[in-house]
Amino acid sequence: MKVSLLGLGPMGAPVAANLVRGLGALTVWNRTPGKADEVVALGARRAASPADAAADVVLTVLPDLPQVESVLHGREGLLAGWRRDRMPEPVLVVHGTVSPVAMRTFAEGLRREHGVRVVDAPMSGGVPGAERGELSLMVGGDPADVEALAPVFAPIASTVVHFGPSGSGQLAKACNQVVVAGTIAALCEALCLADRYGLSRADLLAALAGGLAGSTVLDQKRERWLREDFTGGGSARNQLKDLRFAREAANAAEAPSELTALLHDQFHRMVAAGDGELDHSGLLRTIAAGT
């Protein structure tokens, strides 16, 4: 089974590195070719185009469905590559976080029109989880396709949960992102309260980590809050996008979404203030400023 990966950003690059180590072979493509240098040095093959990266299984680690669509079509797109190599039923894995509703429509269309089997498998665990090969994958798709992907997921994830048909993984990720955003916002507000009364941030975070308030979010973001260094990491812009998808899903099902709406507004203010490319833990700046 030939495997390729498209998209070597903060999450895609460490995922690709673990796949090379785990599978022994991998083809990679990135719009900026130089970003493939490190994983190519580990043994991956650099594709000249998405068509050149056509394989039995293609993983995309791209922000949203428009970016996935952009690598599918055209003379150098994946669809052209699959036709050229006579691959009748390739599997496309969408690792990015996208709209659950749009994901279902996208998967149905590709299957009906091109014979492409689509599995959505959004990731949680951040860059540290990707580097350690300990991501949590929330998966939607045909059970047989998901089962066949087990050897591909093994080098990159410690938790793989299949929720149901296409779009189910994205819905689970939307739930995940509400919890992540809510935890970040709660910790940021707690730090602002501690600051006003002169408490040590380091001491407070140590105390929280040792009790019921402890979390992976706290563990991963602690140093950012202590150093106030919010460069890189999971962007506030992407967090806002994910919360928008969660609100859409909640509205469609008439599900409660008061907290989601509040979190959406907070991250919208952060992005509007020009901090959209900062790590989402930088919400501290927005809350502290009261803007």
Side-chain angles (χ1 to χ4, degrees), residues 118-120 138-143 146 161-170 172:
V118 180
V119 171
D120 53 298
M138 288 150 273
V139 186
D142 184 270
V146 175
V161 180
H162 181 209
F163 286 91
S166 294
S168 301
Q170 297 295 344

Side-chain angles (χ1 to χ4, degrees), residues 226-244:
L226 294 179
R227 300 194 312 267
E228 294 208 22
D229 179 5
F230 304 116
T231 56
S235 75
R237 193 175 305 280
N238 279 337
Q239 180 72 75
L240 178 61
K241 168 182 69 81
D242 299 347
L243 289 167
R244 185 175 74 251

Side-chain angles (χ1 to χ4, degrees), residues 109-223:
L110 273 186
R111 179 74 172 137
R112 181 180 61 253
E113 298 170 20
H114 302 286
V116 179
R117 309 177 73 88
V118 180
V119 171
D120 53 298
M123 306 178 290
S124 183
V127 174
E131 292 173 342
R132 295 192 301 267
E134 296 177 354
L135 291 168
S136 175
L137 299 184
M138 288 150 273
V139 186
D142 184 270
D145 295 333
V146 175
E147 183 178 356
L149 287 167
V152 179
F153 291 158
I156 66 175
S158 56
T159 301
V160 179
V161 180
H162 181 209
F163 286 91
S166 294
S168 301
Q170 297 295 344
L171 184 57
K173 180 60 184 295
C175 296
N176 179 88
Q177 292 303 82
V178 172
V179 175
V180 170
T183 305
I184 285 175
L187 285 165
C188 288
E189 190 165 301
L191 287 170
C192 287
L193 178 60
D195 287 348
R196 293 294 176 93
Y197 282 88
L199 299 184
S200 162
R201 283 190 187 180
D203 289 345
L204 178 65
L205 292 176
L208 295 177
L212 190 58
S215 67
T216 301
V217 169
L218 194 160
D219 293 341
Q220 286 195 14
K221 306 300 181 180
R222 179 202 309 258
E223 292 304 314

Side-chain angles (χ1 to χ4, degrees), residues 36-72:
D37 290 348
E38 290 188 16
V39 71
V40 167
L42 293 175
R45 182 182 79 86
R46 190 198 315 262
S49 67
D52 187 35
D56 302 303
V57 175
V58 177
L59 314 177
T60 60
V61 189
L62 301 167
D64 204 347
L65 278 184
Q67 289 77 28
V68 177
E69 292 271 13
S70 73
V71 300
L72 282 172

